[in-house]
Amino acid sequence: MKHQVTIKDIARKLGVSTSTVSRALKDHPDISVKTREAVKELANILGYKPNMIALNLKHSRTNTIGVLVPEVEHYFFSSVLNGVEEVAYKNNFSVMVFQSNESYMREVLIAQNFLTNRVDGVLASFSKNTHDFSHFKQIIENEIPLVFFDRERGELHADSVIVDDYSGAYHAVSHLISKGSRRIAFYSAPEHLVLGKNRLEGYKAALEDHGITYNPELVYSCDTFDEAEKISRSILKKHDRPDAIFAVNDLTAIGAMKVAKKLGLRVPDDIRFVGFENSRSSWICEPELTTVDQFGFELGKEATGLLLARIKLNTFEYEVERRMMKTQVVVRGTT
Amino acid sequence: MKHQVTIKDIARKLGVSTSTVSRALKDHPDISVKTREAVKELANILGYKPNMIALNLKHSRTNTIGVLVPEVEHYFFSSVLNGVEEVAYKNNFSVMVFQSNESYMREVLIAQNFLTNRVDGVLASFSKNTHDFSHFKQIIENEIPLVFFDRERGELHADSVIVDDYSGAYHAVSHLISKGSRRIAFYSAPEHLVLGKNRLEGYKAALEDHGITYNPELVYSCDTFDEAEKISRSILKKHDRPDAIFAVNDLTAIGAMKVAKKLGLRVPDDIRFVGFENSRSSWICEPELTTVDQFGFELGKEATGLLLARIKLNTFEYEVERRMMKTQVVVRGTT
DNA sequence: CAAATGTGCGCACAAAGTTACGGAAAATTC
DNA sequence: GAATTTTCCGTAACTTTGTGCGCACATTTG
C-alpha cells in the first residue's frame, strides 16, 4: 500500500501547521478564506481522504455495525441483510457481515472479532447449535448495543426483533384447515430456538380452535431440504399419511413435496404444502408453494433502526425492547 | 459504549508503565517473570482486549479485505463469499461485504468506503451498469491490491479470477447438440460484460464445430427470471420456435421453462433447457435443470488466496494475473 | 574495589487527526 | 500613540499500542 496522503503532507507543502489544515478542511471560522481555499485546493489535487482509523481511535467509535448471520445463502437472511444495509448506509454506517455457518465455534470467534474491531453495535442471529451465550454476554458487558433478530434469547440485556412466528403458524395452519386438511404434519425447527416453540404453539392453537386434536406424532424435527427428502419417504408411504405438511421453511416444504410427487401423490388434491419464508424458490417449484411471508427486508430495517437508536443513546441504561414483525400467508398452488 | 479496558488501566493498577504492560503481554524477555504473570493475570481479570484500531493506525494495515459483490442473494455470489471467508479467516483477515445491488452509484460509494476504511485489499465483481471505472482506478492509484472476480476489466492493473465462460458455454451447447437440438436460443448477459461476450463466443464455436450456422436472431439479451418470463411467451409461440434454450444463469432458464410448460411444451422432448450456475434452484424446478457448475466456492478461495499473496508482497510492482476456473456441465432432466 | 556486564523497566516518539489554549501581528478604538 | 480587540495560526496534548534507547540498579569479573 502506498503512503496515503495525510494532513501532514498538505501542511508541509503549504508551510502551515497540521491544525490549520484540519480546521481549514472543516470550515472553522478561525481560518482565513485564502488559507482555507489553498488547503482545499491542494487536498483535492493530492486526493486527500481523511483516515477513518485515526478518527475512530480518537472518538473511540467506528461507525460500523457488525452483523452475525447463520448463512447469507438463505433467502430470508439475505433479504434481512438488504434491509440492514439500506438503513445503515443512510446513516453513514458501514456493515460488516459475518456468517457462522450454523457453527458455534465460528460464532464465538466472530463475537471476539466484534470486540477487537470495536464495532459500535451488533445485529445477531445465533446459530442453531448455540446453547451457551457467554460470547454475547461479553459483548453486553462491554456495553456494546446488541439486537437479536429472528432468533432471540430472553434473559440477556439485548433487544430483539423477531418474526411473529406464532401468528404466522396459526394462520398457515388455519388456512390448511379451511381447505379441508385434517391430518396436518409439522416439520419443525429445533425447539430450543424460540421460533420453533412459537410456531409449534401457533400450530397447536390453530388445530384446537378448529376442533382438531393435537397429535404429537405428526410433529417432526426437520428443517432442511435434504432431511425432508429423507424422512418424507417413509412418512408419506404410510396408509395414515398426513394430508398436509406445514414446514418451518420453504426448502423443507419443497423437499417434502418432491418426494410426494415421486410417490404419485397429486398436489394439492392428495396432499397440501405450506412453507415459511416466501423465498424465490417458492415460485420456482411446481405447483408454486403457498407460504408465509416473513418480510425479511422490513425486519432488517426495523432491527437496524433500533440498533442505531441504541448507539445514539450513548448510555446502556435502557429498557430492552422486543418487537414483533407481522407475517402474511401467501396463497399459491400447493393449497 | 463503556470505556474499554486499555493497557493504561492495567499499568495504573499495577504501578508500572504502559510499555512494561505491553511487553509483558507479548512475552518480551526484558520483563521479569513476576511482573509478566501479574500483568497477564490482571489483563485476564479485567477482560483486556487489544485495541485493533490503535494497532491498525500504527501499522497502517487493517487485516481486512473489502468485498464488492452485486447481490449476495444470488447463489453463485453467496458461494463465492463462502470461499472468500474460508481463506480469509484462516489467515486472520476480516471480510467486509458490500452489495452494489447492480447500482453504479452505490458502487462508487462503496469504493470510497474502501479507501477511507483503508482495507488492505479489495475483491470486486462490478455491477452490470458500470461503464466508468475511475473509482477502481482510485483504489489502484492508492496501491491497494485489487482482484476482480467473475466480471473482469482488462486494462486495469488488477488481477482477475474468472469462470471459463467460453468453454462452459461451448460444452453446454455441444451437449444440447448431442441430444439432437438444432435451433438453440441463447439468453445472454449484456455484452459489455466480458463474460457475456465469452459465452457468446463459446456458443458460436460449438454451433460451428457441429456444422450449424450461427443465427443472431436466436440471441436475446435477457438475464433475469422476470425478463425470461416476459420475452419467452412470444418467442415460444412462433412456429419456428427454438428447440432448446441456453441461458446465462439458472433462474433465467427456469423462467423460460416455466413459460414453455404453460404453453404445453414437454421438457425435454419438445424443448431442452440448460442454465449456468448449478444453484439450489436447479434441482428444485421440474424437471431438474441441466446446468453448468461455476464452482463459486473454489473461485472465492482462489481469488482470496491471490489477493492475500498480493497484500503480502508489499509492493505494487507485480505482473497482473488472469486465472480461469474450470466449469462442468451437470446433466439433469431438462436435456 | 573499580570496571564490565546484565537485568528490569520507563521515557519518548510513532501512527493521523482534533482541539483547548495561547501568542503574535494586524486592526480598531479612544 | 497607547490600549484593546480581532484575526489567524501554531504548540501541545489527546486517543491506544509498540519499540528503540537509555537509565538505574544489581551482579559478576579481574
Side-chain angles (χ1 to χ4, degrees), chain B residues 129-147:
Chain B
N129 307 306
T130 299
H131 301 91
D132 182 279
F133 288 80
S134 42
H135 50 303
F136 289 120
K137 279 186 196 146
Q138 257 187 64
I139 291 177
I140 294 168
E141 271 165 24
N142 280 279
E143 300 192 357
I144 295 174
L146 170 61
V147 175

Side-chain angles (χ1 to χ4, degrees), chain B residues 156-309:
Chain B
L156 299 175
H157 184 274
D159 301 299
S160 49
V161 179
I162 54 167
V163 173
D164 190 346
D165 296 296
Y166 176 88
S167 100
Y170 183 89
H171 287 113
V173 174
S174 297
H175 168 69
L176 281 171
I177 296 172
S178 78
K179 288 288 177 177
S181 297
R182 285 297 172 270
R183 282 186 64 80
I184 303 171
F186 178 34
Y187 284 17
S188 163
E191 247 201 77
H192 74 275
L193 289 183
V194 180
L195 73 84
K197 203 188 295 182
N198 289 341
R199 290 190 196 167
L200 183 60
E201 292 305 321
Y203 165 81
K204 282 187 198 171
L207 291 181
E208 278 165 28
D209 284 2
H210 294 85
I212 302 175
T213 326
Y214 165 64
N215 177 0
E217 282 179 13
L218 285 172
V219 177
Y220 303 90
S221 178
C222 167
D223 63 351
T224 67
F225 185 92
D226 293 337
E227 279 175 29
E229 268 197 314
K230 207 180 295 170
I231 72 164
S232 298
R233 228 173 297 276
S234 59
I235 294 173
L236 295 176
K237 271 184 188 159
K238 288 194 272 189
H239 63 279
D240 61 342
R241 61 162 176 77
D243 58 7
I245 294 179
F246 170 50
V248 75
N249 58 48
D250 284 355
L251 278 177
T252 305
I254 292 170
M257 177 160 72
K258 195 166 183 178
V259 173
K261 288 198 289 186
K262 263 202 190 121
L263 291 175
L265 298 174
R266 289 163 308 159
V267 182
D269 296 334
D270 295 332
I271 183 165
R272 299 191 182 86
F273 292 91
V274 176
F276 211 115
E277 191 164 1
N278 197 17
S279 64
R280 288 277 153 101
S281 309
S282 62
W283 36 264
I284 283 174
C285 63
E286 222 151 341
E288 293 182 353
L289 184 69
T290 294
T291 184
V292 180
D293 195 330
Q294 293 186 96
F295 298 108
F297 185 76
E298 277 70 28
L299 190 148
K301 290 207 288 186
E302 186 80 14
T304 310
L306 182 54
L307 180 66
L308 292 181

